[in-house]
Amino acid sequence: ITYFRGLMMGESIFNLSRVYRINLVITISIVFLIVVPLIIMHGLKDALLFIIVGLGVIVIATTNYFLPISHRLKGALFGFIPAVVVTILFFIDGYALNKHYLMIITIFMIALYFDHKLVAAYALFLNICYLTLYIGNAKNFLGDHNYSIPYFITLYVVVNGAIVLLYFLCKWGNQLIADTRKKEMQSEKLLEELSMMLGTIKTSVH
């Protein structure tokens, strides 16, 4: 994998292995941020199920890191896995502000790939999660005092607004870097032609 791998094929132009490592570390960190407070609040015995689930998430994320699959699928899974876990936790463990923060972190995990199509696909997935949570158990999702429709609409608009901004950032940023690389390649080609021309002139003089 190189920084400009698949440039002309519409693939990611960044060092994907580095992004994968970062997202693996973030996923493991999310697990600790979820499990450790539960252990503190409920004790080791009562939090055993969450510990097992957390270890399962780490195993799945690590397996995904080593799987020889397409970069879009691998990148999507790094965002989907923690998002699914947090969604389930909203249902079984109730409201907590840090869960909302973790959901937002998953958006940035996807944006690290600078792939606007991947951001769009993840946006659809996250919208399904949010709608499912609100329809399924609004109190667990937004808290006992903030589960009204206006509050949900505000949250929904803010999250989707952030996704839209990241979508265009990835799209335009990707194109800017691709254009810069294209100009660099053209400059290199002109330099090679100039060197060949100078070599020909030098040979003719001698």
Side-chain angles (χ1 to χ4, degrees), residues 142-203:
L142 299 175
D144 293 332
H145 306 292
N146 299 313
Y147 64 93
S148 63
I149 291 179
Y151 190 86
F152 171 71
I153 292 175
T154 300
L155 174 66
Y156 193 77
V157 169
V158 168
V159 170
N160 278 280
I163 292 174
V164 169
L165 291 174
L166 287 172
Y167 172 87
F168 285 110
L169 176 65
C170 292
K171 183 177 181 179
W172 294 336
N174 214 331
Q175 186 61 49
L176 177 62
I177 296 172
D179 290 343
T180 302
R181 177 56 177 166
K182 185 178 180 180
K183 290 178 181 178
E184 181 183 337
M185 293 173 67
Q186 290 174 344
S187 299
E188 290 174 355
K189 184 178 179 181
L190 288 173
L191 184 60
E192 288 177 3
E193 290 176 353
L194 180 60
S195 298
M196 290 176 62
M197 187 181 299
L198 290 173
T200 302
I201 294 172
K202 187 175 180 181
T203 302

Side-chain angles (χ1 to χ4, degrees), residues 14-181:
F14 296 100
N15 189 321
L16 294 176
S17 60
R18 183 180 301 170
V19 180
Y20 296 150
R21 286 195 298 272
I22 292 172
N23 275 341
L24 179 60
V25 171
I26 292 174
T27 301
I28 295 172
S29 300
I30 287 175
V31 170
F32 276 96
L33 288 171
I34 292 174
V35 173
V36 171
L38 291 172
I39 294 174
I40 295 172
M41 287 188 297
H42 304 296
L44 188 62
K45 184 177 180 180
D46 291 337
L48 185 60
L49 176 61
F50 297 106
I51 295 172
I52 294 172
V53 172
L55 291 174
V57 170
I58 292 174
V59 170
I60 294 172
T62 305
T63 302
N64 181 50
Y65 176 80
F66 290 105
L67 282 177
I69 55 179
S70 71
H71 86 272
R72 280 199 176 116
L73 178 57
K74 187 186 290 284
L77 287 174
F78 270 120
F80 290 172
I81 292 169
V84 168
V85 172
V86 174
T87 299
I88 294 172
L89 282 175
F90 269 119
F91 279 111
I92 65 177
D93 188 51
Y95 170 80
L97 185 59
N98 65 337
K99 293 188 181 77
H100 286 280
Y101 293 148
L102 295 174
M103 291 290 267
I104 292 172
I105 288 173
T106 63
I107 300 172
F108 290 101
M109 290 172 68
I110 294 296
L112 282 175
Y113 296 95
F114 263 70
D115 186 333
H116 64 282
K117 292 181 180 179
L118 187 57
V119 172
Y122 189 70
L124 177 61
F125 168 77
L126 200 62
N127 273 272
I128 292 172
C129 289
Y130 271 55
L131 290 171
T132 301
L133 282 166
Y134 187 73
I135 295 171
N137 197 326
K139 287 185 177 181
N140 275 19
F141 182 43
L142 299 175
D144 293 332
H145 306 292
N146 299 313
Y147 64 93
S148 63
I149 291 179
Y151 190 86
F152 171 71
I153 292 175
T154 300
L155 174 66
Y156 193 77
V157 169
V158 168
V159 170
N160 278 280
I163 292 174
V164 169
L165 291 174
L166 287 172
Y167 172 87
F168 285 110
L169 176 65
C170 292
K171 183 177 181 179
W172 294 336
N174 214 331
Q175 186 61 49
L176 177 62
I177 296 172
D179 290 343
T180 302
R181 177 56 177 166

